[in-house]
Amino acid sequence: MTLPSLAALAIIVYFAFLFLTLIYRSRVMNGPWLFLLRSFFPNWRFFHRVGHVPVLFVRYCDKTAGWQPWQCLTPRARRNLLQLFHNPAINLALANQNLVDHLSADIQALPDDKDSRQLVTYKLVLRLARYYLQPISMQQDISEFQIALQLIPPFEIETAALAAESTILTSPAIAW
């Protein structure tokens, strides 16, 4: 076989494999060791179907002005050509969204008798919210804050507002 025909055969085999994986479902791998190692792997769930995206909202209580409105913590990143080569801010935003995705998956897999506040991902998302509120706390006197996790259709993230019917988690008020 010549090199071009060998490359064409490899491409055909590759697409046949992809087609077979779409038809035949494999079982999901679960286990305590895979659970501990999942922080090293991104969340690839977006490949099997388009669905609602978990979005994190936060609000805080100013000691003088009271509770502020909910703010979305996952705004759309602005891109430019230079970010093709160096984009640490977008990589950080993707890692944060991956954490929110893991929290959403953990909440959905949680048995009814368990509390979501005991999850490690919940505690990490609380730290993420504190990190985002840190610059605001230097200008205002924050006493408490709250987070909410909502599932939003993929093309409505830009105009997302907190709605009770699609909220899967609202935390109690947490002292600053």
Side-chain angles (χ1 to χ4, degrees), residues 12 20 27 40 43 45 74 84 102 121 123 152 155 162 168-169:
I12 290 171
L20 288 174
R27 75 181 172 93
F40 293 107
N43 191 350
R45 288 193 174 176
T74 52
L84 182 62
H102 279 298
T121 50
K123 294 173 184 175
I152 297 177
F155 300 110
L162 195 66
I168 60 172
L169 169 77

Side-chain angles (χ1 to χ4, degrees), residues 2-170:
T2 64
L3 190 58
S5 63
L6 192 59
L9 179 66
I11 291 172
I12 290 171
V13 168
Y14 172 72
F15 281 109
F17 175 74
L18 285 178
F19 180 73
L20 288 174
T21 58
L22 288 174
I23 293 174
Y24 298 108
R25 296 214 179 256
S26 62
R27 75 181 172 93
V28 177
M29 295 175 59
N30 269 335
W33 294 105
L34 289 174
F35 181 78
L36 293 174
L37 293 174
R38 76 180 183 171
S39 63
F40 293 107
F41 303 103
N43 191 350
W44 295 105
R45 288 193 174 176
F46 59 87
F47 280 126
H48 33 115
R49 66 182 159 87
V50 175
H52 289 64
V53 179
V55 176
L56 183 64
F57 287 87
V58 67
R59 73 176 181 163
Y60 60 93
C61 183
D62 188 346
K63 288 183 180 176
T64 57
W67 283 101
Q68 301 300 311
W70 289 100
Q71 298 173 4
C72 179
L73 286 189
T74 52
R76 199 82 158 146
R78 296 176 194 254
R79 299 182 185 267
N80 61 35
L81 190 58
L82 291 176
Q83 291 173 340
L84 182 62
F85 304 104
H86 183 68
N87 60 357
I90 292 179
N91 287 342
L92 179 62
L94 287 172
N96 292 340
Q97 182 59 40
N98 191 27
L99 176 62
V100 172
D101 290 344
H102 279 298
L103 176 62
S104 173
D106 287 351
I107 289 171
Q108 292 172 4
L110 198 65
D112 291 337
D113 60 338
K114 298 288 182 180
D115 186 13
S116 63
R117 290 179 287 183
Q118 301 304 318
L119 296 170
V120 173
T121 50
Y122 177 83
K123 294 173 184 175
L124 288 171
V125 168
L126 285 180
R127 285 183 176 225
L128 178 65
R130 278 185 196 272
Y131 172 77
Y132 277 111
L133 290 174
Q134 199 70 34
I136 297 171
S137 72
M138 293 180 186
Q139 299 170 353
Q140 298 177 9
D141 196 12
I142 296 177
S143 60
E144 298 175 306
F145 73 100
Q146 258 185 311
I147 64 168
L149 191 63
Q150 181 176 0
L151 296 176
I152 297 177
F155 300 110
E156 296 177 15
I157 294 175
E158 290 295 323
T159 60
L162 195 66
E165 64 271 0
S166 58
T167 302
I168 60 172
L169 169 77
T170 303

